């Protein structure tokens, strides 16, 4: 393990498309979505323990979740939890992390990744990360892991790479990033053979990514660089509480990755799924002979290709239906077509508006 290697796990989102299980007060990264007794955050943390030690793993989250993070990850110290006072997308949180780690260790290189991905092969994942870390240590490069696509998925962003290897095997220069495509465009991406899914997993030296912010996101750099004397001190949180909300709300993809020229990618095949919505969990879960995924105390009859989840102490009986989501969280029961899962985020807002209450 390299003493200058750090990890930052982004765990501040709400996970609205996993409603009604994911709530404002306990979003999906703190839930046992996979059904193995561990939260997604816990699974991600344990995966990175294969790469570095617990004292070098940091969690970037909304300030309201600090106690939850500590509950799920008792191995980490309070100063390893970076508390955002506002949700400003990923560019400000990456910059905050880079400033903090560079102040701690000028030679720091780090991985920053979401907390809610499902990864099947941890060993292959670690091998890909280590390859990226070696590349960034020897080059002023910004590296992202791209996932070799197996279907024309319209819910993911894509990375187009130049099919010319660098001196490092299986590391390619990025040509462009593409937003979530329509189905025909996604099919053309697969046919071309030079597109990968964008997993949002980035590897870089703190020094290199800060230089990119200075060049391409000067507003964020100017605001957060004012805290150079405060990072890793008792005054850090006060500084962040004042200046972080002033940063623009923008993703690191838009702010940096679409503008910098030193972007590289490693095509990976470690079994990845962005658990952005119920359909992704259905796709990755074991199914019965009729294509159903069942969690809880459930009886089914003439039911096919459905995802059914309920409390352990409540009997749910479902019959004569196909391709449904049935999610019972006690105070909210969701029954909805599985192929319309992208509407769930809006449904949550509608439910709160019409019933005059927050489902937290």
């Amino acid at each position: 393990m390299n003493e200058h290697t750090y990890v930052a796990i982004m765990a501040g989102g709400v996970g609205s498309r996993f409603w009604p299980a994911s709530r404002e007060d306990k979003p999906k990264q703190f839930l046992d979505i996979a059904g193995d007794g561990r939260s997604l955050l816990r699974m991600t943390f344990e995966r990175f323990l294969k790469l570095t030690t617990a004292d070098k793993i940091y969690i970037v989250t909304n300030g309201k979740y600090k106690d939850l993070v500590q509950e799920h990850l008792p191995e980490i110290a309070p100063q390893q939890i970076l508390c955002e006072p506002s949700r400003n997308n990923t560019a400000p949180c990456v910059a905050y992390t880079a400033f903090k780690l560079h102040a701690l260790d000028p030679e720091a290189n780090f991985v920053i990744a979401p907390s809610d991905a499902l990864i099947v092969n941890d060993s292959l994942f670690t091998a890909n990360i280590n390859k990226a870390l070696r590349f960034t240590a020897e080059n002023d490069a910004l590296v992202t892991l791209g996932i070799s696509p197996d279907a024309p998925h319209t819910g993911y962003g894509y990375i187009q790479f130049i099919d010319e290897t660098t001196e490092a095997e299986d590391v390619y220069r990025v040509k462009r990033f593409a937003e979530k495509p329509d189905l025909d465009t996604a099919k053309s991406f697969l046919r071309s053979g030079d597109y990968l899914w964008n997993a949002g997993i980035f590897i870089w030296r703190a020094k290199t990514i800060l230089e990119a912010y200075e060049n391409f996101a000067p507003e964020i750099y100017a605001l957060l660089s004012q805290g150079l004397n405060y990072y890793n001190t008792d005054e850090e949180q006060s500084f962040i509480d004042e200046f972080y909300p002033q940063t623009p709300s923008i993703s690191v993809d838009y702010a940096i990755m679409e503008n910098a020229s030193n972007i590289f990618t490693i095509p990976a095949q470690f079994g990845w799924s962005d658990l952005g919505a119920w359909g992704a969990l259905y796709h990755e879960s074991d199914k019965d002979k009729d294509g159903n995924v069942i969690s809880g105390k459930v009886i089914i009859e003439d039911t096919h290709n459905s995802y059914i989840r309920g409390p352990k102490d409540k009997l749910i009986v479902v019959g004569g239906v196909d391709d449904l989501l049935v999610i019972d969280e006690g105070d909210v029961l969701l029954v909805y077509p599985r192929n319309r899962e992208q509407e769930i985020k809006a449904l949550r807002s509608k439910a709160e508006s019409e019933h005059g209450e927050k489902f937290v």
Side-chain angles (χ1 to χ4, degrees):
M1 294 181 180
N2 189 314
E3 63 177 321
H4 301 295
T5 294
Y6 300 82
V7 171
I9 300 171
M10 295 179 287
V14 178
S16 298
R17 288 179 294 166
F18 259 102
W19 186 78
S22 182
R23 309 291 182 96
E24 177 72 29
D25 282 359
K26 193 173 183 179
K28 68 175 178 178
Q29 59 267 30
F30 300 105
L31 301 179
D32 176 16
I33 290 290
D36 71 350
R38 298 177 297 165
S39 67
L40 288 172
L41 176 60
R42 182 75 210 178
M43 291 171 67
T44 305
F45 174 77
E46 291 180 5
R47 184 178 305 124
F48 279 118
L49 287 177
K50 297 177 174 66
L51 184 77
T52 190
T53 52
D55 62 305
K56 287 185 167 61
I57 300 177
Y58 289 73
I59 311 299
V60 190
T61 189
N62 189 275
K64 69 188 297 182
Y65 303 136
K66 184 175 183 178
D67 290 343
L68 268 176
V69 170
Q70 200 80 73
E71 176 186 329
H72 285 249
L73 308 177
E75 299 96 325
I76 69 172
Q79 61 267 28
Q80 291 171 250
I81 306 174
L82 284 66
C83 294
E84 304 166 291
S86 58
R87 291 188 174 102
N88 291 20
N89 215 313
T90 55
C93 89
V94 170
Y96 173 21
T97 305
F99 274 115
K100 180 178 177 68
L101 292 180
H102 188 261
L104 182 70
D105 178 359
E107 298 300 316
N109 55 2
F110 69 99
V111 184
I112 188 159
S115 60
D116 54 1
L118 182 65
I119 290 172
V120 176
N121 191 324
D122 285 356
S123 296
L124 189 53
F125 172 77
T126 304
N128 277 273
I129 294 289
N130 277 321
K131 180 186 294 185
L133 287 167
R134 288 192 296 270
F135 189 80
T136 58
E138 298 167 1
N139 303 272
D140 285 328
L142 307 175
V143 178
T144 179
L145 295 189
I147 308 301
S148 299
D150 57 12
H153 205 297
T154 59
Y156 299 153
Y158 284 73
I159 303 166
Q160 186 181 22
F161 64 94
I162 299 171
D163 194 8
E164 297 175 356
T165 56
T166 61
E167 292 182 4
E169 185 179 0
D170 295 329
V171 180
Y172 300 87
R173 187 175 291 276
V174 170
K175 183 175 183 179
R176 74 178 183 111
F177 288 82
E179 288 303 299
K180 297 174 182 177
D182 58 31
L183 183 58
D184 287 341
T185 303
K187 288 179 179 179
S188 72
F189 286 172
L190 257 68
R191 287 194 299 269
S192 73
D194 58 355
Y195 280 86
L196 306 167
W197 289 334
N198 184 358
I201 301 170
F202 305 106
I203 304 96
W204 39 47
R205 296 170 66 195
K207 175 179 178 289
T208 305
I209 189 63
L210 287 175
E211 289 172 352
Y213 272 89
E214 190 172 15
N215 290 328
F216 303 113
E219 183 179 356
I220 295 174
Y221 184 90
L223 281 165
L224 298 185
S225 64
Q226 296 177 65
L228 291 177
N229 292 327
Y230 305 125
Y231 293 117
N232 305 301
T233 73
D234 291 341
E235 298 176 84
E236 176 181 320
Q237 193 62 55
S238 295
F239 167 79
I240 287 297
D241 287 345
E242 179 179 353
F243 286 90
Y244 193 95
Q246 300 176 42
T247 60
S249 180
I250 185 172
S251 71
V252 69
D253 300 76
Y254 277 127
I256 304 299
M257 305 303 279
E258 293 191 1
N259 296 299
S261 59
N262 56 334
I263 311 293
F264 294 82
T265 189
I266 297 175
Q269 292 180 313
F270 41 68
W272 171 89
S273 176
D274 170 23
L275 292 181
W278 289 110
L281 182 58
Y282 171 84
H283 179 73
E284 297 297 332
S285 300
D286 293 333
K287 301 169 184 63
D288 67 16
K289 61 182 178 61
D290 294 315
N292 300 301
V293 177
I294 307 295
S295 176
K297 191 177 179 181
V298 178
I299 295 174
I300 56 172
E301 180 68 31
D302 188 25
T303 297
H304 307 86
N305 305 317
S306 295
Y307 185 94
I308 305 168
R309 170 189 173 102
K312 294 179 180 179
D313 59 350
K314 181 177 182 179
L315 177 63
I316 297 176
V317 182
V318 180
V321 298
D322 298 324
D323 303 302
L324 273 188
L325 294 172
V326 180
I327 315 294
D328 190 338
E329 291 296 320
D331 61 334
V332 179
L333 169 64
L334 172 75
V335 181
Y336 215 67
R338 194 164 55 81
N339 64 359
R340 292 170 60 184
E341 62 167 3
Q342 299 299 325
E343 300 173 14
I344 289 177
K345 183 176 181 179
L347 279 176
R348 172 193 170 184
S349 298
K350 181 178 180 181
E352 291 180 344
S353 174
E354 293 188 1
H355 288 270
E357 61 178 304
K358 290 283 187 181
F359 294 101
V360 297

